[in-house]
Amino acid sequence: MQHRVISFSLLALSLFLGACEKKTPPQAEAPEVFVVIASEQPYTPQRGFNARIESKSDVNISAEVSGKLLAIHFKEGDDVTAGTPLFDIDPAPYKAALARAKAELAKAEANKANAIKNFARGKKLVDDGYISGSEYDTLEARELEATAAVAAAKAAVQSAEVDLEYTTIKAPQDGRVGRAKPSVGDVVSPGYGVLTTLVGKNDMEVVFQLPERLLLVAQRPDANAKVKDYEVALTMQDGSEYAHTGTINYFSNRVDPSTGTVETRAAIPNPDDILRPGMYVQAVVRVKEPILGLMIPQAALQVDQRGTYVLAVDDSNKVTRINMTAGERFGENVLVNSGLDAGVRIIVRGVQKARPGTEVRVSEFKPATKAAAGSPAQ
């Protein structure tokens, strides 16, 4: 019996010692996260808009006088210079009208000369008492009427000369002339309508609708780029980029309430005569020189019911939450508008393992491809 008690005691002791020899389980290792440092980077804000080409010097050529069309001095599509004759209207009636006007002027000048002489005589006679005051007043009135008649006759001559000059219709500017609508022999008049059109080649504008929000952003006092810092590039219908860029020179004084946009115009050179009024193009508004902005990878951005945020790592390798406002995307990066400062370590990979207040192991994030930060994501 005593032997059995001793055996049980030894068994209990061995179990106790075995339990003491078991190792304490190790603590869970801190999760590893990969971070980048939020930093300022150069970027080129740009936005594309459907646009059309217009000419600032698109002129409708019309007749100023009536008459039979005698000659057309151009071919469709000709380049002409200012003062080049385009149409000839029969001048015969206007030459006759000018001759009549000159004859009436000569007659009026003769009557004026006679009235001046009679008035001068009347002045002597009234002083000597040979004529009455009323007769003298009549002579003075005739002299004034004769002077006015001469002025009217001169005006009639000038009007006839202008009408005669209008029988030759000339190009008011340099440019390319369109198709002539009338034919030789047709009778044209001011009511006939447009005879042809003339488009200046180097006075082109690109016209597009700019969203009101973007205009307000560009005009803010604290904007990174002002309106003068932007240029307008053109993408043609075949996908090629036009060789010259333009500058914005006009915003409409009102917003279209149906679209929330503002008509915007940019002057653009056309030295090679490629642009034509009516063309549809893509207008790309972009800054002339890259500007600096605080950027972080798009992958670091998180969103929940409280808004947009990122998880950062402080100097003690503890996770913190930073609420922020994000702007446009540029390649794989996103612009930071507010809430985040440069130099902060942002978690890009391992976000699922990180919780605010917990400690983490930090490694540098090295992307497989270099993030493009030159143009906005489409």
Side-chain angles (χ1 to χ4, degrees):
M1 185 67 174
Q2 185 178 2
H3 176 73
R4 189 175 296 175
V5 171
I6 292 173
S7 297
F8 280 126
S9 299
L10 291 174
L11 178 60
L13 180 61
S14 63
L15 290 174
F16 175 75
L17 292 175
C20 291
E21 289 178 359
K22 290 184 178 178
K23 295 182 180 180
T24 304
Q27 282 188 330
E29 190 176 17
E32 183 181 20
V33 296
F34 295 85
V35 301
V36 296
I37 297 177
S39 61
E40 287 191 335
Q41 301 177 26
Y43 69 102
T44 306
Q46 66 179 40
R47 187 67 64 86
F49 304 95
N50 293 327
R52 68 182 186 278
I53 300 298
E54 290 187 0
S55 173
K56 292 192 294 184
S57 52
D58 192 345
V59 182
N60 291 329
I61 306 297
S62 302
E64 297 290 335
V65 295
S66 301
K68 182 185 292 186
L69 197 61
L70 297 183
I72 299 174
H73 297 288
F74 64 89
K75 294 180 181 178
E76 179 180 352
D78 278 354
D79 291 334
V80 298
T81 58
T84 300
L86 301 178
F87 299 95
D88 282 340
I89 297 173
D90 186 3
Y94 300 97
K95 288 180 178 179
L98 178 59
R100 286 194 300 271
K102 288 181 176 180
E104 290 296 328
L105 175 59
K107 180 180 178 181
E109 287 176 338
N111 290 337
K112 177 182 177 181
N114 186 52
I116 290 173
K117 290 178 182 178
N118 289 336
F119 179 59
R121 293 191 192 100
K123 190 172 183 180
K124 293 180 180 179
L125 293 175
V126 75
D127 291 339
D128 296 338
Y130 290 106
I131 62 174
S132 65
S134 61
E135 290 175 316
Y136 173 77
D137 291 341
T138 300
L139 293 174
E140 182 181 18
R142 288 176 180 172
E143 191 268 342
L144 294 174
E145 288 175 357
T147 301
V150 169
K154 287 181 178 179
V157 169
Q158 291 177 345
S159 178
E161 288 174 342
V162 169
D163 286 345
L164 180 60
E165 185 177 354
Y166 280 154
T167 59
T168 299
I169 301 175
K170 300 177 181 179
Q173 63 179 21
D174 296 350
R176 175 181 288 107
V177 69
R179 183 177 65 86
K181 294 185 178 179
S183 301
V184 172
D186 287 347
V187 175
V188 298
S189 67
Y192 181 90
V194 177
L195 304 182
T196 189
T197 59
L198 182 64
V199 176
K201 296 190 293 184
N202 202 31
D203 294 318
M204 296 298 173
E205 290 184 323
V206 55
V207 185
F208 55 96
Q209 301 297 320
L210 186 70
E212 178 187 8
R213 180 182 61 82
L214 295 182
L215 178 61
L216 292 175
V217 169
Q219 292 180 332
R220 283 172 48 186
D222 59 345
N224 289 333
K226 306 296 184 183
V227 172
K228 63 181 178 60
D229 299 322
Y230 286 87
E231 65 183 5
V232 179
L234 301 184
T235 301
M236 310 302 287
Q237 287 291 324
D238 61 357
S240 63
E241 183 169 341
Y242 184 61
H244 306 277
T245 59
T247 53
I248 295 174
N249 59 3
Y250 170 79
F251 293 107
S252 175
N253 59 0
R254 65 185 68 233
V255 176
D256 186 336
S258 62
T259 61
T261 59
V262 179
E263 182 182 292
T264 305
R265 292 175 177 263
I268 193 157
N270 188 33
D272 302 318
D273 194 27
I274 294 175
L275 302 180
R276 304 288 179 93
M279 276 184 170
Y280 282 93
V281 296
Q282 182 82 357
V284 180
V285 181
R286 65 192 182 197
V287 292
K288 298 175 184 177
E289 299 291 339
I291 58 179
L292 288 177
L294 185 60
M295 296 276 189
I296 62 172
Q298 174 72 21
L301 210 61
Q302 307 294 317
V303 180
D304 63 10
Q305 293 180 346
R306 295 166 57 188
T308 303
Y309 69 96
V310 292
L311 294 181
V313 179
D314 62 16
D315 294 338
S316 301
N317 286 346
K318 288 190 176 181
V319 178
T320 61
R321 172 183 172 130
I322 300 178
N323 296 323
M324 55 161 288
T325 303
E328 289 185 88
R329 282 189 59 184
F330 292 88
E332 297 177 10
N333 291 338
V334 63
L335 184 67
V336 176
N337 286 343
S338 63
L340 184 65
D341 296 325
V344 177
R345 294 187 296 174
I346 305 300
I347 300 176
V348 178
R349 183 175 295 171
V351 176
Q352 297 84 355
K353 306 174 186 177
R355 296 291 183 272
T358 61
E359 188 173 338
V360 291
R361 290 183 298 117
V362 179
S363 297
E364 181 184 357
F365 176 72
K366 295 180 180 180
T369 58
K370 186 177 181 181
S375 61
Q378 299 299 321

